[in-house]
Amino acid sequence: MKKTLIINLRCFGDIMSTSNLIKNLKGNDPTQQIYILTMSEYQKITDLMKGVEKSFTIDRQQILTLSHKKIYNDSRSLNSFLMNLLPINEIYWDNIINYSNDKIGTYICSYLKSNNTTAKIFGLHYDKHKNLVSSSLWSEIFNEVLTSYKHTPFHFVDLYNNISEVAPDENFWKIPKTLEKNDIITRRNFEQIRKHYTINGSAPKIIGIQLTASSIEKQIEPNEISCLINKILDNPEIYPVILIAPNKKEKEIAEKLSKEFDNSLVIVEADLNAIPSVIKQLDILATPDTLIKHIGDLFETPTVEVSRGSSPFLKQGTCNPNNYILSSQFSTRYSSHISENKISSNDIYQCILALVDNKNEKKISLSPGISLYRSLRDDLGINYKFITGVNEIDHELSRQISRQYLNTLVTKEISIKLTSQILEYKTSDIKIWINSQINQLTQCTKALLSTIRDLKQAQTNSKSGERFVHSLDRLISFADMSLLCSIPVALFRGRVDSFQSPKKEEIEKLSYELKNDLQTAVKFLKCLEESVLSIEKETLTNKYSRIVENTITDFSRR
Amino acid sequence: MKTNKSQLVEIKLSKNNLEVPIADGVLLHSIYDPIREAHKFTTQNAPIISKNTKFLIFGSGYGYHINAIINKLKESKINDFEIYVIEPNVELFNKYSSSKQMLNDKRIVYLVGKTPNQLYKIDEFVDFLLAKPAVLPHTASFNLNEQYFTEFLTYNAPNCLGDYIENIHDSGLKDYLKQFPIDIQLKEISNKLSKVAKDEYVVEDFILLAFNELQKTSRLL
């Protein structure tokens, strides 16, 4: 029986999202035993997850207390840390998945690998020379490209599947555990609401509104929540319930809100044990919170995600087909000097109506500066279709086309599929985008050739070293420009950085690999251009055929 | 740090015929009614006693205050409590332990005549401290041994490798750490590992590197 350890040292939402990978791992091999290592403060989340044989924890709070208090010497914290690692080091692992890919997780993988040399590591670990080893190109893409490339070509869930070499399994079991007692209470309460507000035999759909998020910047603004509740209450087809956690802060906010509605609001106070039962039985969920969103996804509850603040744009978006994501337009999400546009109650309300009846989608009209996306599945996994609002062509084309370019890099076969998401744009716009990317690729290639030249000179003349460093810096600056050429340069940068102390020969070898990748990018863009031209030609031919056909018909009628 | 072993202890009887110790001329309980005084002590500390099950008491005296705390806990039907009592005066404790006042209860642990350094080396006691017990100083004992208890509270553990290497449980890590000078601190070893390249890294290097990274995450708590 295979034993797999998933190391995930991130927070609530990320840990809950691991359920997608566990589901697929179990779907691919139901006999394998899955274990998970998290920080102890998140154990409540792993307790909710199905398919986990056992969860191990690092008691960060205790270790740091022992470290920081001067009354204890360092042996205490070190012993405590080792005591946490001991049980995972005693198990013979077949696979270790470095899910969080942070430094602690990566060092722990290296520690486990040192003692268990046959274990296969997915993701990052260090070898005995402390060079960073990526298990696959997908792992490099996750760590080097998605950390700097802003257009989010792939969803994290797909990347984790690809890194762990598992195929998605859509039909495997639902994941979060629910307690029967909580299921019964929720069902009874929701049935009462439905019964009480039934008009002409038609029961309203229950809309759960998550009141808060992990940070204020991510929350829906209080006045917008009040307006949203009013709008829902005015519509007999839907009924709002407010979701809060049982803590003082959220209770106070809920009480204040409830007073505005003469204490008539239904407020569902649910802890981590109870919230899955609630979300499972909602008809629609509207949430700015990542943990709640992930639970909604796992139960396939139709969801409107309000994506605000520093949360990664689309990287971990709600992923069930037909769910909506409302976001301030892309260019404001990453800007430090432009403030985010406000998502209004009306924006959220219209999305809720579209989830009630998809015909309403066409009627959606958003506040200024807001964009709406709908999740879907394509050949490469989870994708997002731009629906309405601010349409930033460069961003949308970059997102969709880089997705295919990355696939080309992995499969080593240039394949272009002009998806409906790309063909939504005029061929003239696509051609402008291609030309601009080719121009940047040319600049990037020039920077690369200068780097190679300066590197060669530096090998024979030590004084040229400074010039080489300067040209290498210039080349690497392309990695953060979010252009198509940024992708191979980001991979190159990661590969150079993965060496503890890279030698000139190694940099030279990597430079030639980058040259190949840039040439592939050019070929990819040329191939894309040809496809666009053939579409243009086809459209033109069809247009002329139709004109000729119509003319002949007119002529024969005469 | 020295404990106050040399304190002279004599026993007197209170007005209501109960034994009261006098250490270095200081009365440790009421000479009129030590039980009533102890009851007052628990009443004053009632909010603390009602919210906790773990208590650290500074000074045993003749145990009147300890017995009163236990009675208070029993009234609240709390039976799973744990009490540690620190008493620096060995002679006082010897007399107390042979008196009628001494309760034989496994839930009470007495740490007698130990220096702060010795106290912080007791694993069970450190585990107890990590559980954040409520601290209840017996005022007369605390005032008598103020310097001792202050040093216990403001104790800075010697933190060079040589001070604790023998306390490292993992034998592999202990052997690995023996290669470093005894006057070096763990932080210096970890920082050097992060910044200066080595030809080959061993398993213990990765443990220390992971441990070092974990220290940086305190802001996430």
Side-chain angles (χ1 to χ4, degrees):
Chain A
M1 209 177 289
K2 232 192 240 174
K3 282 187 164 68
T4 298
L5 174 70
I6 301 174
I7 298 176
N8 189 347
L9 305 176
R10 292 177 189 262
C11 321
F12 289 110
D14 292 309
I15 294 169
M16 185 46 91
S17 188
T18 318
S19 294
N20 289 294
L21 177 64
I22 294 169
K23 180 187 81 157
N24 296 333
L25 287 166
K26 285 293 237 184
N28 281 243
D29 175 6
T31 62
Q32 75 172 303
Q33 292 181 332
I34 312 233
Y35 298 74
I36 188 163
L37 173 70
T38 63
M39 293 295 180
S40 59
E41 60 263 33
Y42 304 117
Q43 195 172 8
K44 278 184 180 171
I45 304 286
T46 55
D47 289 346
L48 292 175
M49 290 157 70
K50 267 190 190 170
V52 176
E53 196 72 23
K54 192 177 174 189
S55 64
F56 298 103
T57 58
I58 294 174
D59 194 342
R60 170 162 52 186
Q61 190 128 32
Q62 176 165 311
I63 294 166
L64 293 182
T65 304
L66 286 166
S67 284
H68 295 162
K69 293 214 168 163
K70 289 184 176 168
I71 51 174
Y72 310 117
N73 63 42
D74 285 335
S75 69
R76 297 275 167 202
S77 49
L78 206 47
N79 283 338
S80 176
F81 182 53
L82 274 163
M83 279 300 285
N84 288 166
L85 295 183
L86 192 66
I88 54 168
N89 198 31
E90 280 173 346
I91 295 175
Y92 182 87
W93 301 108
D94 297 285
N95 300 320
I96 299 169
I97 300 173
N98 185 3
Y99 193 99
S100 43
N101 280 299
D102 56 350
K103 278 196 171 175
I104 309 172
T106 306
Y107 285 131
I108 291 175
C109 280
S110 316
Y111 155 71
L112 295 173
K113 178 80 179 166
S114 305
N115 288 336
N116 185 355
T117 50
T118 55
K120 190 171 178 189
I121 310 265
F122 297 91
L124 297 174
H125 78 280
Y126 290 100
D127 68 9
K128 62 180 180 179
H129 305 296
K130 206 176 157 225
N131 296 327
L132 200 56
V133 181
S134 282
S135 61
S136 64
L137 185 51
W138 283 118
S139 165
E140 286 184 81
I141 289 167
F142 181 85
N143 291 296
E144 307 302 339
V145 179
L146 260 76
T147 45
S148 56
Y149 189 73
K150 292 172 183 168
H151 303 293
T152 318
F154 277 93
H155 195 281
F156 274 19
V157 164
D158 292 320
L159 284 170
Y160 282 124
N161 286 338
N162 293 338
I163 291 169
S164 311
E165 297 170 19
V166 289
D169 190 308
E170 302 295 343
N171 299 315
F172 218 59
W173 30 254
K174 301 271 188 294
I175 306 104
K177 286 175 194 166
T178 53
L179 296 175
E180 203 186 340
K181 184 186 82 181
N182 292 330
D183 283 348
I184 293 168
I185 295 170
T186 311
R187 194 176 307 122
R188 194 179 57 214
N189 291 341
F190 282 5
E191 271 169 14
Q192 274 178 7
I193 294 173
R194 288 189 181 102
K195 202 174 160 187
H196 190 263
Y197 293 99
T198 292
I199 297 174
N200 299 330
S202 174
K205 288 193 183 298
I206 296 182
I207 316 297
I209 303 168
Q210 171 64 27
L211 190 58
T212 61
S214 56
S215 64
I216 291 175
E217 51 157 20
K218 291 183 185 176
Q219 279 171 206
I220 306 171
E221 292 185 12
N223 59 326
E224 298 299 336
I225 288 199
S226 302
C227 292
L228 177 62
I229 294 168
N230 269 319
K231 283 175 199 293
I232 296 174
L233 286 171
D234 286 344
N235 184 339
E237 289 181 10
I238 47 182
Y239 189 82
V241 296
I242 311 303
L243 309 180
I244 62 163
N247 62 50
K248 198 180 160 197
K249 193 181 134 204
E250 293 195 27
K251 278 182 193 172
E252 279 172 5
I253 300 172
E255 269 171 33
K256 202 176 159 194
L257 181 70
S258 191
K259 273 184 192 161
E260 289 179 39
F261 294 86
D262 299 327
N263 295 319
S264 63
L265 287 182
V266 177
I267 294 176
V268 181
E269 193 184 306
D271 63 9
L272 272 175
N273 281 324
I275 197 70
S277 298
V278 176
I279 293 174
K280 185 167 96 169
Q281 295 182 66
L282 287 170
D283 293 304
I284 289 168
L285 170 68
T287 177
D289 184 82
T290 45
L291 174 65
I292 299 298
K293 167 186 75 185
H294 290 311
I295 297 176
D297 271 347
L298 296 169
F299 281 120
E300 295 176 11
T301 306
T303 298
V304 180
E305 178 188 346
V306 179
S307 177
R308 300 188 66 212
S310 57
S311 49
F313 179 68
L314 298 182
K315 281 177 191 168
Q316 300 221 68
T318 175
C319 55
N320 283 334
N322 301 322
N323 282 353
Y324 289 112
I325 299 183
L326 277 165
S327 166
S328 176
Q329 69 184 84
F330 168 79
S331 51
T332 64
R333 289 296 295 260
Y334 286 98
S335 172
S336 53
H337 56 275
I338 309 170
S339 57
E340 251 186 82
N341 300 302
K342 253 190 192 176
I343 296 171
S344 72
S345 57
N346 197 38
D347 301 331
I348 305 168
Y349 179 68
Q350 290 178 85
C351 293
I352 290 171
L353 294 187
L355 284 175
V356 172
D357 183 350
N358 61 14
K359 284 177 202 153
N360 292 324
E361 187 183 277
K362 283 181 188 163
K363 300 178 204 163
I364 294 176
S365 167
L366 298 174
S367 310
I370 304 299
S371 306
L372 178 66
Y373 294 86
R374 174 157 42 80
S375 50
L376 54 89
R377 299 286 159 103
D378 64 19
D379 296 348
L380 301 178
I382 298 157
N383 197 355
Y384 294 96
K385 180 180 164 60
F386 170 80
I387 303 294
T388 187
V390 183
N391 190 348
E392 291 171 285
I393 299 174
D394 181 71
H395 160 62
E396 289 304 319
L397 286 174
S398 297
R399 193 163 66 82
Q400 298 296 345
I401 296 171
S402 61
R403 184 174 169 80
Q404 298 202 33
Y405 170 64
L406 282 170
N407 191 49
T408 291
L409 275 183
V410 175
T411 59
K412 300 192 190 314
E413 277 176 32
I414 295 176
S415 78
I416 310 276
K417 197 172 177 186
L418 287 174
T419 58
S420 57
Q421 280 80 50
I422 298 174
L423 288 176
E424 210 146 273
Y425 298 95
K426 288 180 199 160
T427 50
S428 56
D429 286 335
I430 304 174
K431 283 196 305 195
I432 291 170
W433 185 88
I434 293 171
N435 284 335
S436 139
Q437 297 297 328
I438 287 179
N439 283 339
Q440 295 294 342
L441 257 164
T442 310
Q443 296 304 317
C444 183
T445 308
K446 279 182 186 169
L448 171 65
L449 294 176
S450 303
T451 307
I452 294 173
R453 186 197 59 216
D454 293 341
L455 175 65
K456 285 195 170 166
Q457 282 178 3
Q459 278 164 339
T460 52
N461 175 6
S462 59
K463 284 181 185 168
S464 307
E466 204 176 309
R467 219 167 56 201
F468 161 68
V469 172
H470 179 73
S471 52
L472 184 66
D473 276 351
R474 198 175 145 246
L475 171 66
I476 281 177
S477 68
F478 279 88
D480 294 321
M481 292 180 185
S482 290
L483 302 161
L484 198 76
C485 65
S486 304
I487 293 172
V489 179
L491 290 169
F492 167 78
R493 178 177 60 184
R495 286 164 189 164
V496 172
D497 287 347
S498 72
F499 287 105
Q500 170 88 320
S501 37
K503 292 175 186 146
K504 283 177 182 165
E505 301 77 50
E506 282 159 342
I507 296 179
E508 190 178 357
K509 192 180 162 219
L510 291 173
S511 302
Y512 282 109
E513 278 176 26
L514 173 60
K515 197 176 157 202
N516 283 340
D517 285 348
L518 290 174
Q519 280 168 349
T520 306
V522 174
K523 282 182 201 163
F524 173 85
L525 287 172
K526 292 280 179 201
C527 189
L528 176 67
E529 196 174 27
E530 280 167 26
S531 306
V532 173
L533 287 174
S534 72
I535 292 264
E536 260 184 348
K537 214 169 159 186
E538 207 177 297
T539 319
L540 213 61
T541 315
N542 288 344
K543 200 174 157 187
Y544 280 125
S545 320
R546 269 202 306 277
I547 293 168
V548 171
E549 232 171 73
N550 291 342
T551 316
I552 294 169
T553 318
D554 283 352
F555 188 75
S556 57
R557 271 184 197 153
R558 279 184 219 165
Chain B
M1 174 68 205
K2 285 177 187 170
T3 58
N4 300 342
K5 285 175 198 169
S6 58
Q7 286 169 357
L8 199 68
V9 179
E10 54 176 316
I11 307 298
K12 278 194 169 180
L13 287 178
S14 69
K15 299 274 181 199
N16 55 348
N17 236 16
L18 293 166
E19 286 181 319
V20 174
I22 302 174
D24 271 0
V26 176
L27 265 169
L28 293 180
H29 298 286
S30 163
I31 196 71
Y32 295 98
D33 187 348
I35 293 180
R36 197 169 149 222
E37 182 199 44
H39 182 73
K40 200 175 158 193
F41 171 78
T42 55
T43 310
Q44 282 166 349
N45 289 297
I48 298 173
I49 297 169
S50 64
K51 281 180 194 158
N52 290 282
T53 55
K54 291 183 195 297
F55 302 91
L56 174 62
I57 299 174
F58 289 162
S60 69
Y62 243 48
Y64 295 105
H65 55 299
I66 302 168
N67 298 351
I69 292 169
I70 292 169
N71 287 337
K72 194 91 182 163
L73 290 167
K74 281 181 181 168
E75 274 173 31
S76 311
K77 294 182 180 166
I78 297 168
N79 291 312
D80 60 340
F81 59 84
E82 202 177 356
I83 297 174
Y84 270 74
V85 182
I86 300 176
E87 176 50 61
N89 189 333
V90 181
E91 194 189 333
L92 168 69
F93 184 77
N94 287 342
K95 286 189 171 163
Y96 164 50
S97 60
S98 54
S99 77
K100 286 184 217 162
Q101 283 303 317
M102 178 80 165
L103 281 180
N104 193 10
D105 191 317
K106 283 180 183 170
R107 293 168 293 187
I108 310 170
V109 179
Y110 294 93
L111 300 170
V112 182
K114 295 196 184 305
T115 63
N117 195 26
Q118 288 170 327
L119 289 171
Y120 282 106
K121 279 187 177 167
I122 303 168
D123 283 347
E124 293 79 9
F125 180 55
V126 170
D127 289 342
F128 174 78
L129 291 180
L130 282 169
K132 295 181 183 165
V135 178
L136 292 173
H138 175 239
T139 314
S141 300
F142 189 90
N143 290 341
L144 180 66
N145 302 292
E146 193 176 349
Q147 194 196 345
Y148 171 82
F149 286 116
T150 307
E151 286 199 29
F152 171 80
L153 288 168
T154 56
Y155 176 75
N156 277 357
N159 206 18
C160 287
L161 200 54
D163 297 315
Y164 60 77
I165 194 159
E166 290 310 317
N167 299 102
I168 300 284
H169 297 158
D170 185 273
S171 56
L173 186 61
K174 195 193 283 185
D175 290 343
Y176 164 87
L177 289 171
K178 280 181 181 164
Q179 67 178 295
F180 299 103
I182 54 166
D183 58 348
I184 198 170
Q185 293 218 350
L186 192 65
K187 208 178 272 179
E188 295 170 62
I189 301 173
S190 309
N191 284 342
K192 201 175 167 193
L193 265 179
S194 309
K195 287 169 190 162
V196 184
K198 275 175 75 174
D199 287 341
E200 204 165 297
Y201 287 74
V202 293
V203 64
E204 288 79 12
D205 291 322
F206 292 124
I207 293 172
L208 288 192
L209 285 163
F211 182 74
N212 194 35
E213 284 303 320
L214 186 69
Q215 309 295 317
K216 297 175 189 169
T217 66
S218 54
R219 68 188 166 79
L220 299 173
L221 281 174

